Amino acid sequence: MALLTVRAAAERLGVSYSALKQWIYKGTVRTVRTGGGHHRIADAEIDRMLASQGKTPRARGTRRPRSVGMLVSISGRNQLRGIVEEVRADGLLAQVRLRIGDQRLTAVITRDAVDELKLRRGEEALAIIKSTEVMIAKSS
């Protein structure tokens, strides 16, 4: 019996990590607890859930291709390259502060995004600013 982490099970089910955690807490999903208290989900339970949603379970060992972590191109024009100065995670959200030259940029993103990007202090990261409006100010 193969056991999956909650993150791997969520990927296979096509749902978010937080949604699957809520299902676990509600008892909708049967899990096995590790000695450290972490939840693991059996392949059979994943197949049961997929079948209940009318989806065909994937064959074992078939994996969705993962990105290699390289950003090839993006349509956003406002891209700022900086160094991760601080990462503070609390609950489902995280605050990431980038040092861009002598300026600081703070972004609030999901904790899942921090984990997936493996953001760590001192590493280079790219801030991509998407906005329909830009405001300019000047002191009088």
Side-chain angles (χ1 to χ4, degrees), residues 69-90:
M70 183 170 37
L71 185 64
V72 177
S73 63
I74 191 164
S75 64
R77 297 291 175 236
N78 299 319
Q79 300 175 29
L80 304 171
R81 189 170 305 278
I83 302 296
V84 177
E85 194 167 78
E86 181 181 25
V87 177
R88 290 190 347 212
D90 184 29

Side-chain angles (χ1 to χ4, degrees), residues 49-118:
M49 293 183 68
L50 287 169
S52 73
Q53 297 171 0
K55 298 178 183 172
T56 306
R58 277 196 302 212
R60 306 274 190 275
T62 305
R63 300 190 75 174
R64 197 168 69 197
R66 280 189 69 88
S67 62
V68 292
M70 183 170 37
L71 185 64
V72 177
S73 63
I74 191 164
S75 64
R77 297 291 175 236
N78 299 319
Q79 300 175 29
L80 304 171
R81 189 170 305 278
I83 302 296
V84 177
E85 194 167 78
E86 181 181 25
V87 177
R88 290 190 347 212
D90 184 29
L92 295 174
L93 296 177
Q95 179 177 307
V96 179
R97 188 170 61 211
L98 291 182
R99 184 180 70 245
I100 302 166
D102 61 347
Q103 301 290 312
R104 304 294 183 272
L105 180 134
T106 302
V108 176
I109 62 176
T110 65
R111 183 184 206 128
D112 284 349
V114 168
D115 294 342
E116 189 173 313
L117 293 169
K118 297 179 177 90

